[in-house]
Amino acid sequence: MKEMLKTIEQNALQSIRNISDLEQLEKIRVQFLGKKGELTQVLRGMGKLSKEERPIVGQVANEVREKIEKELEKTKNALKTAQKDIKLKKERIDISMPGNKKVIGHRHPLLTVKEELETVFMNMGFDVVEGPEIETVYNNFDALNSPENHPSRDLSDTFYITEQILLRTHTSPVQIRVMKQIQSPIKIVSAGRTFRFDEVDDTHSPMFHQLEGLVVDKNITIANLKHTIDMFIKELFGSDMKTRFRPHYFPFTEPSAEVDVSCLKCRGEGCDCCHKTGWDMELLGCGMVHPRVLENCGIDPEVYSGFAFGLGVDRIAMVKYGINNIRLLFENDMRFLNQF
Ligand code: DAH
C-alpha cells in the first residue's frame, strides 16, 4: 500500500509540474484528492489493514496528501503571478504616446462676423434680439409698407409656404415684432438667415444673412442715424474709414439711403478693386422709419421717430476676409473653413 501511495505521489507531482493553466490544475486536484480521487480511493481501503499497519500507512498517506497539496498551492500561485504579469504587459499604458486627439470643430467665419457685429452694437448700447425665419407675409411686406405690386413680393422672388406664410426675405420684419411688443424706446439689432429665390452665383445665394438695426424714441433724427452708422463702420474696419450716404428708396423708410464705405483694399486711395473710386459700394441700406410703419405698430409718428438699417452679414464677411465667392461660405469644405 505504501508503494501505491508513493506512486500516486510521484504521478501527482509529475502531472502538476507539466501543467500550464489553472483549469488543468483544478482537474488534477480532483483527480488525486477529490472524493473519487486516487488518494481517497486508497485511503478507503485502509479498513482492510491490520491495526499495526494502519497508523504507519495513515502517516504516509497524510504526508503524500500534504506534499500534493503543497505542490498544488505552489503551482497555483506561480500560475497566478504569471497570468498577472501577462495582463499587466498587455494592458500597459505608454504615457509618452500622443493622446487620442478629439477633433472638435471651430467657429464658422459667418458666426464669428455675426457675433463681432453684435458686439460692436452692444457696446453702443443696442440689445440683441432674435426673430423667426418663417414669417407672415404681413410682417415681411404689408406692415413694412411694401405695396401689393412690389416686385420683391413676386412668387418668383420669394419662398412662400402658404399664401400668408413665407421664409423671410429680409430681417426687417423683426422691426415690426419689436415695435409692436416694446413700442418705445427701442434700440435693437437682430441678425439671422434670410431667403430669396436667387440663382447661385459668386455673390448670390438663396439663403444668406442679414443684420437689422432699429432705434425708436422721441427726437430721433437723421443725425443720429448717420453718427451711428459712421461709428459702427469705424469700429468694425478702422477709424480711418469714411462713410457716404446716397439717396435710395426703401418702402419702409423715408428718407432712405444706401451707404458706401471707403474701399478696404486701398482705404480710399483708389485701386483696381474699387475701380479707382476709393469707395466700396452699397454696404448697407438705411433710413428714417416711415411714419406709416410706426402707425402699423401702434406708435404715434407725431411723437416718436426712428431710424433703421440693414446689412448683409455674408457681404461683410466676404469684404473682411477677402472672400470672392459666396458659395465657399456654405459648402462646408474644411480646407476653406480651417483658414479662419
Ligand atoms: N431690408 C432691406 C433689404 O433687404 C435692407 C434695409 C434697408 C433694412 C433699409 C432697413 C433699412 O432696416 O432701413 O434690402
Side-chain angles (χ1 to χ4, degrees):
M1 206 149 186
K2 260 186 183 168
E3 294 304 304
M4 273 169 80
L5 286 170
K6 281 288 165 198
T7 317
I8 289 174
E9 180 188 308
Q10 263 172 19
N11 287 346
L13 295 184
Q14 185 69 37
S15 312
I16 292 169
R17 278 170 201 143
N18 281 339
I19 61 127
S20 57
D21 69 50
L22 287 165
E23 236 172 79
Q24 286 175 347
L25 194 72
E26 176 59 15
K27 269 190 197 147
I28 286 165
R29 192 191 64 77
V30 174
Q31 185 190 335
F32 290 99
L33 305 181
K35 267 187 196 158
K36 291 177 186 163
E38 293 183 23
L39 186 67
T40 322
Q41 299 287 354
V42 175
L43 292 179
R44 283 221 178 101
M46 272 183 44
K48 292 176 198 143
L49 295 176
S50 67
K51 257 190 195 164
E52 296 76 37
E53 271 180 320
R54 230 179 275 162
I56 300 162
V57 174
Q59 198 189 343
V60 176
N62 276 338
E63 279 169 16
V64 169
R65 170 190 288 279
E66 266 169 35
K67 267 193 191 157
I68 296 174
E69 274 174 350
K70 243 193 202 154
E71 193 64 24
L72 280 168
E73 190 62 23
K74 202 173 93 189
T75 311
K76 192 169 152 188
N77 288 338
L79 281 171
K80 273 193 176 162
T81 313
Q83 265 183 2
K84 210 166 159 189
D85 279 351
I86 290 169
K87 210 172 162 206
L88 279 175
K89 258 190 203 139
K90 246 208 271 181
E91 293 175 3
R92 197 176 69 169
I93 297 168
D94 181 354
I95 55 165
S96 69
M97 295 262 285
N100 275 339
K101 258 204 196 142
K102 289 257 182 311
V103 184
I104 52 167
H106 72 103
R107 254 146 212 271
H108 193 283
L110 271 179
L111 183 62
T112 308
V113 168
K114 173 182 169 260
E115 288 184 354
E116 201 178 326
L117 297 175
E118 287 172 346
T119 305
V120 171
F121 282 111
M122 280 196 281
N123 291 342
M124 291 164 77
F126 283 77
D127 285 331
V128 173
V129 303
E130 300 237 346
E133 291 165 11
I134 298 173
E135 256 299 358
T136 60
V137 170
Y138 177 79
N139 283 348
N140 193 84
F141 292 127
D142 303 270
L144 285 163
N145 200 34
S146 297
E148 281 288 348
N149 59 357
H150 197 278
S152 64
R153 298 183 71 134
D154 205 277
L155 280 173
S156 61
D157 272 331
T158 298
F159 296 106
Y160 285 90
I161 293 169
T162 67
E163 261 180 40
Q164 300 307 328
I165 309 278
L166 45 67
L167 296 182
R168 64 179 178 186
T169 60
H170 49 177
T171 42
S172 301
V174 182
Q175 289 186 28
I176 302 300
R177 289 175 176 271
V178 174
M179 278 193 273
K180 277 190 172 161
Q181 200 195 338
I182 300 177
Q183 300 283 296
S184 145
I186 294 168
K187 199 172 176 187
I188 59 101
V189 288
S190 182
R193 289 197 185 95
T194 47
F195 307 85
R196 284 182 205 173
F197 221 118
D198 277 336
E199 286 288 336
V200 178
D201 65 23
D202 286 359
T203 54
H204 291 86
S205 157
M207 190 279 289
F208 56 105
H209 299 76
Q210 284 191 339
L211 179 135
E212 191 80 14
L214 174 70
V215 174
V216 176
D217 205 345
K218 286 177 180 160
N219 302 317
I220 298 293
T221 71
I222 202 163
N224 301 119
L225 166 62
K226 288 192 74 174
H227 177 68
T228 303
I229 299 296
D230 202 51
M231 289 255 294
F232 158 65
I233 293 295
K234 287 189 161 69
E235 197 59 43
L236 188 66
F237 292 126
S239 54
D240 58 329
M241 295 295 278
K242 291 202 178 75
T243 47
R244 179 172 79 174
F245 289 67
R246 266 184 301 101
H248 197 75
Y249 171 76
F250 295 108
F252 34 89
T253 42
E254 180 58 35
S256 307
E258 266 188 348
V259 181
D260 306 331
V261 304
S262 312
C263 170
L264 276 163
K265 256 261 175 75
C266 61
R267 322 275 315 170
E269 293 282 309
C271 66
D272 284 347
C273 221
C274 57
H275 306 288
K276 308 262 189 274
T277 62
W279 293 102
D280 220 320
M281 304 294 278
E282 297 169 31
L283 212 65
L284 57 92
C286 63
M288 300 306 291
V289 181
H290 198 292
R292 221 172 285 149
V293 175
L294 292 171
E295 264 169 19
N296 288 342
C297 300
I299 297 171
D300 185 352
E302 296 295 328
V303 183
Y304 295 97
S305 53
F307 66 80
F309 53 90
L311 54 88
V313 179
D314 320 74
R315 178 81 202 286
I316 300 268
M318 289 171 76
V319 171
K320 188 178 148 90
Y321 294 122
I323 298 164
N324 54 14
N325 189 337
I326 198 172
R327 296 177 185 91
L328 289 166
L329 290 173
F330 305 122
E331 278 172 352
N332 289 333
D333 186 333
M334 290 306 286
R335 288 168 303 181
F336 169 74
L337 294 175
N338 274 334
Q339 297 174 55
F340 301 96

